[in-house]
Amino acid sequence: NAGVTQTPKFRILKIGQSMTLQCTQDMNHNYMYWYRQDPGMGLKLIYYSVGAGITDKGEVPNGYNVSRSTTEDFPLRLELAAPSQTSVYFCASSYGVGFYEQYFGPGTRLTVT
Amino acid sequence: DQQVKQNSPSLSVQEGRISILNCDYTNSMFDYFLWYKKYPAEGPTFLISISSIKDKNEDGRFTVFLNKSAKHLSLHIVPSQPGDSAVYFCAASGATGANSKLTFGKGITLSVRP
């Protein structure tokens, strides 16, 4: 049981490049989330999904896109990378909302230069 | 506008003593409060939670207290151990709708001195 896995662990992008951050969970959770954490800040929600085929914007969605074609996978796409997207990105999943704990992946450290 | 505030960025305590981590919130629609612990280069892991119908929840060395009227909660760790050194995030959510997504504080870095 791997939980939530993310790839890659590290990435350096040049301004204007694009990339996809991969996230997979094996707990059969309906809910999945993408967060970013900037230095000295809490986690901010980028996008979330309540099930396959259903996604919605979080607090900071600009510059990102997501898709959810299966229960297991929730990739995050960065188009036209900008220095402001330099951050650590965490994917998470949960059985439900509110009371239910979220399980986090190990994170992807992204630098845009 | 920060809805979940952890005003102290860091805390240092001696091994064996009590650690008290504080958290304040502004949204009265929050019903659930969770604490997450994060080690460097790892994702956050769930530690303990409390719902708004309770004022205390205990799990081993960890106890969370909730004061709804003051919109304040605190995490107590007794006794503190060096392995507890980490960043602790307070998070809150409501039961439904827009408030059902977790809102995180900025985190508190706890250092437990041997």
Side-chain angles (χ1 to χ4, degrees), chain A residues 37-81:
Chain A
Q37 186 192 9
D38 299 326
M41 302 296 288
L43 284 77
K44 293 193 182 298
L45 183 65
I46 305 171
Y47 270 95
Y48 67 100
S49 170
V50 302
I54 307 169
T55 63
D56 206 350
K57 295 177 181 179
E59 185 182 356
V60 289
N62 291 344
Y64 307 94
N65 277 301
V66 293
S67 59
R68 183 99 180 267
S69 56
T70 66
T71 299
E72 295 79 18
D73 300 306
F74 189 40
L76 177 72
R77 178 81 177 162
L78 279 72
E79 304 282 2
L80 299 175

Side-chain angles (χ1 to χ4, degrees), chain B residues 16-36:
Chain B
R17 306 294 289 267
I18 184 171
S19 295
I20 300 176
L21 290 73
N22 293 307
C23 178
D24 297 292
Y25 63 96
T26 58
N27 190 338
S28 58
M29 300 300 291
F30 287 150
D31 285 317
Y32 305 108
F33 304 90
L34 301 88
W35 285 92
Y36 284 81

Side-chain angles (χ1 to χ4, degrees), chain A residues 35 37 40-43 45 48 90 97-102 104-106, chain B residues 32 34 36 38 42-44 46 49 89 93-94 100-102 104-106:
Chain A
Y35 294 92
Q37 186 192 9
M41 302 296 288
L43 284 77
L45 183 65
Y48 67 100
F90 291 102
V97 293
F99 183 77
Y100 294 93
E101 66 174 282
Q102 294 184 14
F104 285 81
Chain B
Y32 305 108
L34 301 88
Y36 284 81
K38 184 184 180 305
E42 294 183 10
F46 170 76
S49 64
F89 291 101
S93 77
S100 66
K101 296 178 286 295
L102 271 185
F104 286 84
K106 291 185 178 182

Side-chain angles (χ1 to χ4, degrees), chain B residues 17-103:
Chain B
R17 306 294 289 267
I18 184 171
S19 295
I20 300 176
L21 290 73
N22 293 307
C23 178
D24 297 292
Y25 63 96
T26 58
N27 190 338
S28 58
M29 300 300 291
F30 287 150
D31 285 317
Y32 305 108
F33 304 90
L34 301 88
W35 285 92
Y36 284 81
K37 176 179 178 179
K38 184 184 180 305
Y39 292 118
E42 294 183 10
T45 55
F46 170 76
L47 187 59
I48 191 169
S49 64
I50 189 168
S51 73
S52 58
I53 62 172
K54 293 188 173 184
D55 55 17
K56 177 183 174 181
N57 188 29
E58 192 171 352
D59 183 2
R61 296 186 297 114
F62 303 91
T63 302
V64 57
F65 296 91
L66 175 63
N67 182 333
K68 279 194 70 177
S69 62
K71 293 190 174 68
H72 176 83
L73 61 153
S74 60
L75 174 68
H76 293 212
I77 307 174
V78 182
S80 300
Q81 299 174 354
D84 296 329
S85 297
V87 178
Y88 290 78
F89 291 101
C90 173
S93 77
T96 59
N99 291 307
S100 66
K101 296 178 286 295
L102 271 185
T103 299

